[in-house]
Amino acid sequence: MSDFDDINRRGLVLVGCGRMGGAMLRGWLARGLEPGAVTVMDPRLAPEWQNKGLNVNAALPGDPAVLVLAVKPQMMAEALGTLPVLGDTLVLSVAAGTTIATFEAAFPGAAIVRVMPNTPAAIGQGISAMIGNSRATPAHLDLAETLMAAVGRVVRLDHEDQMDAVTGLSGSGPAYVFHLIEAMAKAGEAQGLPAALALELARMTVAGAGALAIDADEDPAVLRENVTSPGGTTAAGLRVLMDPETGLPPLMARTVAAATERGRELGRTAQ
């Protein structure tokens, strides 16, 4: 019995099949979702999804198991047309900054789960945080987790107001790491390395350290201490990086706080 049996029987509607929607769809199809059970609503659907057995911009099934919203609310009308009246359909939103209340107004009485994934979901290495409304049953939450597990790990939140901090940390976080790679590469160049070599070293150092942090499953402070010899080169670098006033901790605190606050502003605007 597949996790997708009920969805294959009743259908799944995906509104928006861009980078995130496409990543999720690839993961679902790889895990047993039948193409014929999927209706994709996207006026600008990429050519790669044509002739794959999907129902493209077609009439919606009468009572789909899941309606996945992977577009901004202002684009939903264009992609979906008239909003359907739903029965026992799970509404799963991955629209950043859009509150559950916004979707409750559009889909009265529906079970709604709001999810914040991040871009490594494109290679199955994402982390998604989710929270449901009062209509979302444990079965709905389990279904949402099954769907999001196709593109990485899933965590559940206690309160929706935590979502803005999730957005500021993991939602926007990949961009912070990409910039870290840029900065490390430039620093390597400044110390005499060729640009291409410095970039390769920076990329693989960040990727390898991240993989080790997951594989070791230890406190990152312990991992840091393990590679820091007293009086050595790493200690010299960390003295600069860990400075409580000018180092990475206060800078990262301001970075995540700024992104979190912007998420709150977008949520208020969307109401």
Side-chain angles (χ1 to χ4, degrees):
M1 182 174 174
S2 165
D3 288 334
F4 293 101
D5 282 350
D6 187 51
I7 299 177
N8 284 332
R9 182 173 56 83
R10 295 173 54 197
L12 177 147
V13 178
L14 175 61
V15 184
C17 194
R19 186 169 297 177
M20 186 58 66
M24 293 189 298
L25 182 55
R26 271 188 291 274
W28 299 333
L29 294 173
R31 290 188 172 207
L33 180 62
E34 296 171 3
V38 180
T39 302
V40 177
M41 307 302 292
D42 191 326
R44 292 175 292 276
L45 188 64
E48 68 174 295
W49 293 112
Q50 306 291 346
N51 305 314
K52 290 288 198 298
L54 306 166
N55 301 295
V56 177
N57 296 322
L60 301 183
D63 182 30
V66 191
L67 172 65
V68 181
L69 304 174
V71 292
K72 298 288 187 185
Q74 58 268 32
M75 297 171 60
M76 193 159 46
E78 178 188 0
L80 191 56
T82 57
L83 296 177
V85 176
L86 302 174
D88 184 32
T89 298
L90 169 64
V91 177
L92 182 69
S93 164
V94 295
T98 307
T99 62
I100 286 174
T102 300
F103 292 112
E104 286 180 327
F107 303 100
I112 296 168
V113 174
R114 180 183 172 192
V115 182
M116 169 51 65
N118 61 5
T119 54
I123 58 168
Q125 297 293 318
I127 179 77
S128 300
M130 54 178 262
I131 183 79
N133 71 346
S134 60
R135 293 291 186 110
T137 66
H140 286 128
L141 293 171
D142 288 346
L143 176 57
E145 183 164 341
T146 294
L147 289 167
M148 297 313 301
V151 291
R153 297 192 183 194
V154 183
V155 296
R156 299 191 185 192
L157 304 181
D158 297 320
H159 307 286
E160 188 181 10
D161 58 11
Q162 295 174 313
M163 196 62 85
D164 294 317
V166 169
T167 303
L169 178 57
S170 61
S172 300
Y176 312 156
V177 177
F178 298 147
H179 187 51
L180 173 65
I181 293 171
E182 289 182 282
M184 288 177 66
K186 288 295 183 185
E189 280 187 68
Q191 296 305 313
L193 294 174
L197 175 58
L199 180 56
E200 183 177 5
L201 289 168
R203 276 177 176 155
M204 289 307 298
T205 298
V206 171
L212 180 59
I214 293 171
D215 185 72
D217 197 24
E218 283 193 274
D219 189 314
V222 173
L223 297 175
R224 169 177 53 78
E225 291 161 1
N226 288 345
V227 296
T228 307
S229 302
T233 58
T234 306
L238 285 173
R239 269 197 300 276
V240 177
L241 195 65
M242 295 178 68
D243 187 285
E245 294 182 4
T246 61
L248 185 60
L251 177 61
M252 189 55 67
R254 294 197 304 274
T255 299
V256 174
T260 300
E261 180 52 35
R262 181 56 180 155
R264 292 192 184 107
E265 291 171 359
L266 290 173
R268 288 193 291 267
T269 302
Q271 291 288 355

